Amino acid sequence: MFPEIEFERMKRLPNYVFAEVNNIKMEARRRGEDIIDFSMGNPDGPAPEHITEKLREAAAKPKNHGYSASAGIYKLRLAICNWYKRKYGVDYLDPDKHTCATMGSKEGYVHLVQAIVNVGDVAVVPDPTYPIHSYAFMLNGAAIHKFELVFDDEYKVDEDLFLERLQKTIDESIPKVKYVVVNFPHNPTCATVTPEFYQRLVDMAKKERFYIISDIAYADITFDGYTTPSIFQAEGALDVAVESFTLSKSYNMAGWRVGFITGNEKLVGALKRIKSWLDYGMFTPIQVAATVALDGPQNCVDEHIEKYRHRRDVMIEAFKEAGWEMNCPNASMFIWAKIPKKAQHLGSMEFSKQLLTEAKVAVSPGIGFGNYGDQYVRIALIENEKRIRQAARNIKYYLKSL
């Protein structure tokens, strides 16, 4: 008999909470049921034509079919720096020293953590959180410290409380905190911060000697006059921080798997070095097309933002009529919705399962993002207006049945 082998890293991963809802969803679809799916942040619609045309053009050139550069071709890295200059007025980034193209921001984030974390290091990740923000550290032998992310009805983070709790965590941690993860606009909660928050965080990082990993995947998707800040608008950020971004949401390029990590030369250098061992970079035509996306006309991004804003407004209004009142976020492609009062006793997992089986509507249970998410569900704005209104009608009947 072959001896049973234990995979210690896999044992550190919990059962994937979303898998249970996904299994119910797939079984329903196999039975021919029409499921209105708000569970995953997967943009609907194709990438803009000028980007796909550049992909076709680049793919037609035989020289582009060989191995590429693991850190990204120079023109893409330059386009990333130009994106920061144009969007944030940040003009000090060097494409050779400060940026690395990645196969989506998730791959870049995981490989960055793998490159920089020593067993026993301590990372702080507010709760709730996008799961990989925690588990990338856990898989690489780090300890995770958490505290609740607190925000108001307008999804504005209580920045004073955040920094107080972070300072308390730092003061009580043995060994010292080495990394702090921030993600604004936040996934899953849609919470946002001000530029002043980043300056205070950078100042704390310098005083307490920790690195900051900032994820701004939803930076472009903002409404009602709000603008996402970058940590690199804060003085001294380059000494202590890196930031990740993805083209998935802004340009409808989720399946292309292209993003980047920018910032501190030491951290970016570690990422580049580990990637040089692990991969040969993205398919060159994808990198060429991504360069056109970042450097080219941005009206396509504006159109995507308007689509999400309209869907947000329709959902808030239609679900309210159905008996489910939600607060209105001003950023990201989600609504972080508190479970209706009459269903709060169910918790997010059971509520999500009942919503799927009884109303034929799929959402993500908040417990999948952390213990502080259990009274919420995350709803992605990925269905059109007609489907949103149909979902509201289904939910209305379900809530009446409780």
Side-chain angles (χ1 to χ4, degrees):
M1 177 69 70
F2 194 76
E4 186 175 343
I5 298 174
E6 295 286 345
F7 301 114
E8 292 299 327
R9 287 189 177 182
M10 294 303 97
K11 286 168 67 177
R12 301 191 79 184
L13 282 174
N15 292 330
Y16 201 53
V17 171
F18 307 115
E20 194 168 348
V21 173
N22 287 337
N23 289 339
I24 297 171
K25 179 175 66 179
M26 296 312 296
E27 288 172 8
R29 283 181 168 161
R30 280 193 287 268
R31 292 193 298 269
E33 296 177 15
D34 179 26
I35 303 299
I36 303 172
D37 193 357
F38 302 116
S39 63
M40 188 176 179
N42 192 11
D44 61 322
E49 178 60 28
H50 71 284
I51 300 173
T52 55
E53 177 57 36
K54 178 55 70 171
L55 175 68
R56 287 190 290 267
E57 178 188 313
K61 297 179 179 179
K63 68 175 184 178
N64 288 334
H65 286 253
Y67 293 130
S68 191
S70 61
I73 61 174
Y74 178 78
K75 284 188 176 180
L76 177 55
R77 287 182 280 116
L78 180 62
I80 292 162
C81 296
N82 288 337
W83 182 83
Y84 269 101
K85 188 183 299 184
R86 186 175 63 247
K87 188 174 179 67
Y88 292 115
V90 173
D91 60 2
Y92 55 75
L93 297 173
D94 184 316
D96 289 321
K97 295 179 180 178
H98 299 136
T99 196
C100 180
T102 60
M103 299 174 188
S105 59
K106 194 175 192 179
E107 173 270 321
Y109 179 88
V110 171
H111 279 157
L112 172 70
V113 171
Q114 189 175 7
I116 64 177
V117 166
N118 302 320
V119 173
D121 282 350
V122 176
V124 178
V125 185
D127 185 324
T129 187
Y130 185 53
I132 199 62
H133 286 161
S134 289
Y135 288 109
F137 282 98
M138 194 172 294
L139 282 170
N140 286 286
I144 312 296
H145 290 186
K146 296 184 178 183
F147 57 80
E148 183 182 7
L149 178 67
V150 176
F151 50 92
D152 63 18
D153 289 347
E154 296 180 337
Y155 296 91
K156 294 177 182 176
V157 170
D158 187 328
E159 296 175 5
D160 290 337
L161 183 59
F162 183 105
L163 295 169
E164 285 172 16
R165 288 181 170 177
L166 176 56
Q167 186 65 62
K168 185 174 186 292
T169 303
I170 290 168
D171 292 343
E172 294 176 353
S173 177
I174 300 174
K176 292 280 288 181
V177 169
K178 192 171 180 180
Y179 303 103
V180 173
V181 178
V182 290
N183 164 218
F184 302 111
H186 191 252
N187 182 9
T189 71
C190 314
T192 59
V193 294
T194 64
E196 291 74 23
F197 169 80
Y198 284 128
Q199 187 62 64
R200 295 169 68 187
L201 183 61
V202 166
D203 292 344
M204 184 185 290
K206 290 192 164 191
K207 175 176 173 284
E208 300 290 351
R209 301 182 65 79
F210 61 80
Y211 285 115
I212 304 162
I213 303 175
S214 168
D215 177 2
I216 56 168
Y218 301 91
D220 285 331
I221 304 174
T222 61
F223 322 109
D224 309 328
Y226 177 73
T227 300
T228 300
S230 164
I231 198 166
F232 294 122
Q233 292 171 291
E235 185 178 348
L238 198 59
D239 297 329
V240 295
V242 290
E243 194 161 66
S244 66
F245 182 73
T246 173
L247 278 67
S248 295
K249 321 302 180 185
S250 304
Y251 302 95
N252 276 11
M253 293 169 64
W256 296 49
R257 306 316 301 136
V258 53
F260 54 81
I261 287 184
T262 301
N264 179 269
E265 184 177 354
K266 185 175 182 180
L267 298 188
V268 170
L271 172 61
K272 286 181 177 179
R273 187 172 183 191
I274 200 169
K275 281 177 64 65
S276 74
W277 282 90
L278 296 176
D279 69 67
Y280 288 108
M282 289 170 279
F283 185 41
T284 298
I286 288 178
Q287 298 189 60
V288 173
T291 302
V292 168
L294 292 171
D295 279 343
Q298 300 298 299
N299 55 304
C300 57
V301 179
D302 296 334
E303 290 169 5
H304 297 156
I305 293 168
E306 176 56 26
K307 176 177 69 176
Y308 291 126
R309 185 206 61 77
H310 177 69
R311 290 176 178 179
R312 176 202 66 172
D313 292 348
V314 170
M315 184 172 287
I316 294 286
E317 172 256 325
F319 280 37
K320 182 179 180 180
E321 290 181 4
W324 189 357
E325 199 158 350
M326 307 169 177
N327 293 327
C328 185
N330 62 0
S332 90
M333 58 183 288
F334 304 108
I335 296 178
W336 183 243
K338 196 156 196 177
I339 299 170
K341 283 185 179 179
K342 61 165 60 179
Q344 284 178 6
H345 66 283
L346 297 172
S348 63
M349 191 66 197
E350 182 60 28
F351 174 70
S352 297
K353 287 159 70 174
Q354 289 192 19
L355 207 61
L356 185 51
T357 56
E358 303 297 326
K360 312 305 176 190
V361 173
V363 298
S364 292
I367 190 64
F369 302 98
N371 290 333
Y372 290 107
D374 198 26
Q375 286 299 301
Y376 295 83
V377 294
R378 192 193 71 176
I379 308 173
L381 300 169
I382 54 171
E383 295 273 15
N384 62 37
E385 178 178 347
K386 181 180 178 183
R387 299 278 283 172
I388 291 171
R389 294 192 183 279
Q390 179 61 54
R393 289 191 289 271
N394 294 0
I395 289 169
K396 184 175 184 178
Y397 292 124
Y398 163 66
L399 292 177
K400 281 184 175 180
S401 75
L402 290 179

